Amino acid sequence: MKKIPQPEDLRSDEAAPLLPGTEEPRSLGDMMREAEQRQKAAEEASGPDAASSDADSVEAAPPRRQKRVNRAQSRRYARERAMQALYQWDVGDAQSSDVRKQFLDTQDMSRVDVDYFVLLFNGVSHHPDAIDEALTEALDRPLSDLDPIERSVLRVATYELMECQDIPARVIINEGIEVTKRFGADKGHRYVNGVLDKLAASVRPLEMRRR
């Protein structure tokens, strides 16, 4: 099994960014840390006084129970976990069943719709050729040139557009955009939006025409 690059393997004096599709894939740990940093930055943007008062209240208050999530939120987390698992399966050299088991055994799945995570991951990893063939029709470049995170997000959304007819296309597109905003490269969500709009118009023409 190929080793997925870890943060300690990265040099701080790396050269300027490479062309898209030629950079080293990020590790799962990198993705999670970057998402946490973005969330923290958004919270601090409300002002130093608010951040300070929040910190004081957290320090003084007793631990609170984790809030229960609704179905839409648990499915958002399922999409995020499916994207992460497919990313690891894509850039690594492991069997899909091993990656799925690793996520179910080691990742925090408390807020995840686990059944939906399994459906998405298996749906893509068990039928990659059919998913990629449909996705390629909406791309302006080879699939291999895409950022690995964006490629995983697009594969999940492609499966949903093709197989999950009970979920509106606009919901699927929006979810793909939001997951990319959280984990993908800066402005990568714009590309994902364009691809999914084009794909949805092909896969669900009647639904998209009714907008």
Side-chain angles (χ1 to χ4, degrees), residues 77 98 202:
Y77 293 128
D98 293 336
S202 173

Side-chain angles (χ1 to χ4, degrees), residues 78-79 82 86 116-125 156 159-160:
R79 291 181 179 95
L86 288 168
Y116 202 62
F117 159 78
V118 173
L119 175 72
L120 296 177
F121 180 78
N122 286 351
V124 176
S125 63
V156 169
Y159 174 81
E160 288 189 284

Side-chain angles (χ1 to χ4, degrees), residues 105-189:
D105 291 347
T106 66
Q107 298 296 323
D108 179 9
M109 307 292 277
S110 60
R111 297 185 294 175
V112 175
D113 182 334
V114 175
D115 289 340
Y116 202 62
F117 159 78
V118 173
L119 175 72
L120 296 177
F121 180 78
N122 286 351
V124 176
S125 63
H126 290 183
H127 309 284
D129 292 341
I131 298 298
D132 289 351
E133 182 179 355
L135 176 57
T136 298
E137 295 296 321
L139 297 178
D140 61 352
R141 66 196 67 176
L143 186 65
S144 58
D145 286 354
L146 295 182
D147 174 90
I149 293 176
E150 292 172 14
R151 184 163 59 236
S152 296
V153 171
L154 287 170
R155 281 170 166 164
V156 169
T158 299
Y159 174 81
E160 288 189 284
L161 286 170
M162 294 174 63
E163 303 296 335
C164 303
Q165 299 293 323
D166 58 314
I167 304 177
R170 279 291 153 200
V171 171
I172 294 171
I173 294 170
N174 185 66
E175 288 295 294
I177 292 169
E178 292 304 317
V179 173
T180 308
K181 283 182 180 179
R182 180 167 165 78
F183 294 97
D186 186 36
K187 299 181 180 179
H189 64 282

Side-chain angles (χ1 to χ4, degrees), residues 5-209:
Q6 300 298 315
E8 59 267 25
D9 298 330
L10 302 177
R11 294 172 49 193
S12 60
D13 58 345
E14 289 290 340
L18 301 175
L19 293 173
T22 62
E23 62 272 21
E24 283 293 322
R26 288 178 284 167
S27 69
L28 178 61
D30 288 339
M31 293 160 58
M32 297 300 292
R33 276 189 291 276
E34 289 169 8
E36 288 171 1
Q37 288 170 358
R38 289 174 187 165
Q39 185 172 351
K40 183 178 179 182
E43 292 171 353
E44 291 177 348
S46 60
D49 293 338
S52 176
S53 62
D54 286 345
D56 292 340
S57 62
V58 170
E59 208 170 296
R64 293 181 299 178
R65 291 182 181 179
Q66 188 177 58
K67 292 182 179 179
R68 296 184 64 180
V69 297
N70 59 36
R71 188 183 186 210
Q73 291 171 323
S74 67
R75 286 202 164 184
R76 166 75 61 81
Y77 293 128
R79 291 181 179 95
E80 290 182 353
R81 283 287 186 247
M83 178 277 295
Q84 292 164 348
L86 288 168
Y87 172 94
Q88 186 163 318
W89 171 72
D90 187 15
V91 303
D93 188 21
Q95 293 291 326
S96 61
S97 58
D98 293 336
V99 175
R100 184 184 64 242
K101 184 176 186 303
Q102 177 191 351
F103 267 72
L104 292 173
D105 291 347
T106 66
Q107 298 296 323
D108 179 9
M109 307 292 277
S110 60
R111 297 185 294 175
V112 175
D113 182 334
V114 175
D115 289 340
Y116 202 62
F117 159 78
V118 173
L119 175 72
L120 296 177
F121 180 78
N122 286 351
V124 176
S125 63
H126 290 183
H127 309 284
D129 292 341
I131 298 298
D132 289 351
E133 182 179 355
L135 176 57
T136 298
E137 295 296 321
L139 297 178
D140 61 352
R141 66 196 67 176
L143 186 65
S144 58
D145 286 354
L146 295 182
D147 174 90
I149 293 176
E150 292 172 14
R151 184 163 59 236
S152 296
V153 171
L154 287 170
R155 281 170 166 164
V156 169
T158 299
Y159 174 81
E160 288 189 284
L161 286 170
M162 294 174 63
E163 303 296 335
C164 303
Q165 299 293 323
D166 58 314
I167 304 177
R170 279 291 153 200
V171 171
I172 294 171
I173 294 170
N174 185 66
E175 288 295 294
I177 292 169
E178 292 304 317
V179 173
T180 308
K181 283 182 180 179
R182 180 167 165 78
F183 294 97
D186 186 36
K187 299 181 180 179
H189 64 282
R190 296 181 181 178
Y191 182 73
V192 167
N193 187 10
V195 171
L196 293 182
D197 272 342
K198 184 176 180 181
L199 180 64
S202 173
V203 176
R204 300 192 188 181
L206 295 179
E207 181 181 347
M208 296 301 289
R209 201 173 297 144

